[in-house]
Amino acid sequence: MSRRVIGPDEDHHVHSTFSDDAVSTPAQNLAAADRAALRVVRMVDHVRESTTYVPEFLAAVRALPRIEGLTVLTGVEAKILDADGTVDAPPEVLASIGEPHGADRVLLADHQVPGPDGPWSPHATLQRIVDGLDPQDVIEMLLTATIRAIQRVGPAQLAHPFSVLPKIGISEDDVPDELLDALADVAIAAGTLVEVNEKWQCPSTRVADRWRAAGVQLVPSTDAHTEADVGRYEWVCTA
Ligand SMILES: [Zn+2]
Ligand SMILES: [Zn+2]
């Protein structure tokens, strides 16, 4: 029930061929958004610190034909690198987020666990847990890094929050309320959007309900890597 209320006529996370793992052009994604009768689509591609294509990507999106009733937004998706909340994106891209010449938002992604010494792969994290690291410490590290990342960047959106947890054998149910509330406070203060993500089926209903009740602005996203998935929800709309 709770996931149903967040506007299925919006899709805040759609990848194009500017991402090396996606297959549709921005124009194809725009046409798909139109066919799906979306009101809002956010064009997003992956960046890392060495990425150089962002001006070209933004120019391509801005050159798209206007479609009546469809708002096109932009974003760059970057992973949170470490426990300090360092974000894996070119500094000039981060500096221009929310500016007229920059992307509208940076999508902060938990593709790896942000460790004190840099990103930990799920495999390396699992090994540390086997070796005695307390899963609660991993959860706290992830939440702290996410909070710090929000505070370091301009307008942000949390991409698929907690998608990394199942990869390291941790359930969202193990994330304590007080950490959820601490993240909510920071997200609200910063105006951070938080995705409910179709591809990764996260966050859980418990988490989404708690954040919504706290006043966090949740947005639906498919994380589409092909035009066929743009604006198509099953999990997001069927809870
Ligand atoms: Zn991602
Ligand atoms: Zn993505």
Side-chain angles (χ1 to χ4, degrees), residues 4-239:
R4 190 188 299 279
V5 299
I6 53 160
D9 56 354
E10 302 187 12
D11 190 343
H12 287 258
H13 190 153
V14 170
H15 288 277
S16 80
T17 42
F18 283 93
S19 294
D20 52 16
D21 56 351
V23 299
S24 302
T25 64
Q28 288 172 319
N29 287 332
L30 181 76
D34 190 24
R35 283 197 300 277
L38 294 187
R39 224 167 35 78
V40 175
V41 64
R42 185 183 303 281
M43 308 265 185
V44 175
D45 281 301
H46 289 291
V47 299
R48 49 177 65 89
E49 202 190 348
S50 59
T51 296
T52 57
Y53 72 73
V54 172
E56 193 190 340
F57 160 63
L58 294 174
V61 173
R62 283 173 187 146
L64 293 171
R66 301 274 173 274
I67 292 179
E68 173 88 34
L70 174 59
T71 299
V72 178
L73 305 171
T74 58
V76 291
E77 180 175 9
K79 73 174 165 296
I80 304 168
L81 280 171
D82 58 32
D84 289 334
T86 309
V87 175
D88 190 8
E92 71 277 11
V93 169
L94 286 178
S96 66
I97 297 292
E99 301 290 330
H101 62 290
D104 296 322
R105 286 188 185 259
V106 55
L107 277 65
L108 301 172
D110 58 350
H111 294 149
Q112 312 240 283
V113 172
D117 54 347
W120 295 357
S121 70
H123 178 80
T125 308
L126 270 172
Q127 190 58 51
R128 284 176 164 94
I129 291 172
V130 167
D131 291 345
L133 176 63
D134 186 341
Q136 280 298 327
D137 290 343
V138 177
I139 291 171
E140 186 162 349
M141 211 163 59
L142 175 63
L143 272 285
T144 302
T146 304
I147 285 170
R148 288 176 176 160
I150 290 171
Q151 291 170 331
R152 286 174 79 127
V153 299
Q157 174 171 314
L158 288 193
H160 47 66
F162 301 135
S163 71
V164 75
L165 291 184
K167 300 177 191 172
I168 53 176
I170 297 176
S171 164
E172 286 184 42
D173 295 345
D174 296 330
V175 181
D177 285 345
E178 61 263 30
L179 285 181
L180 292 176
D181 294 348
L183 180 55
D185 287 347
V186 172
I188 292 164
T192 305
L193 303 179
V194 176
E195 289 179 23
V196 179
N197 186 290
E198 175 77 22
K199 181 180 179 195
W200 295 98
Q201 303 194 351
C202 62
S204 66
T205 301
R206 165 197 164 234
V207 171
D209 278 351
R210 192 169 183 89
W211 281 345
R212 184 184 299 104
V216 173
Q217 197 177 346
L218 300 177
V219 293
S221 73
T222 60
D223 213 339
H225 284 61
T226 171
E227 60 182 301
D229 292 340
V230 173
R232 293 273 180 87
Y233 297 108
E234 292 179 16
W235 179 83
V236 164
C237 297
T238 55

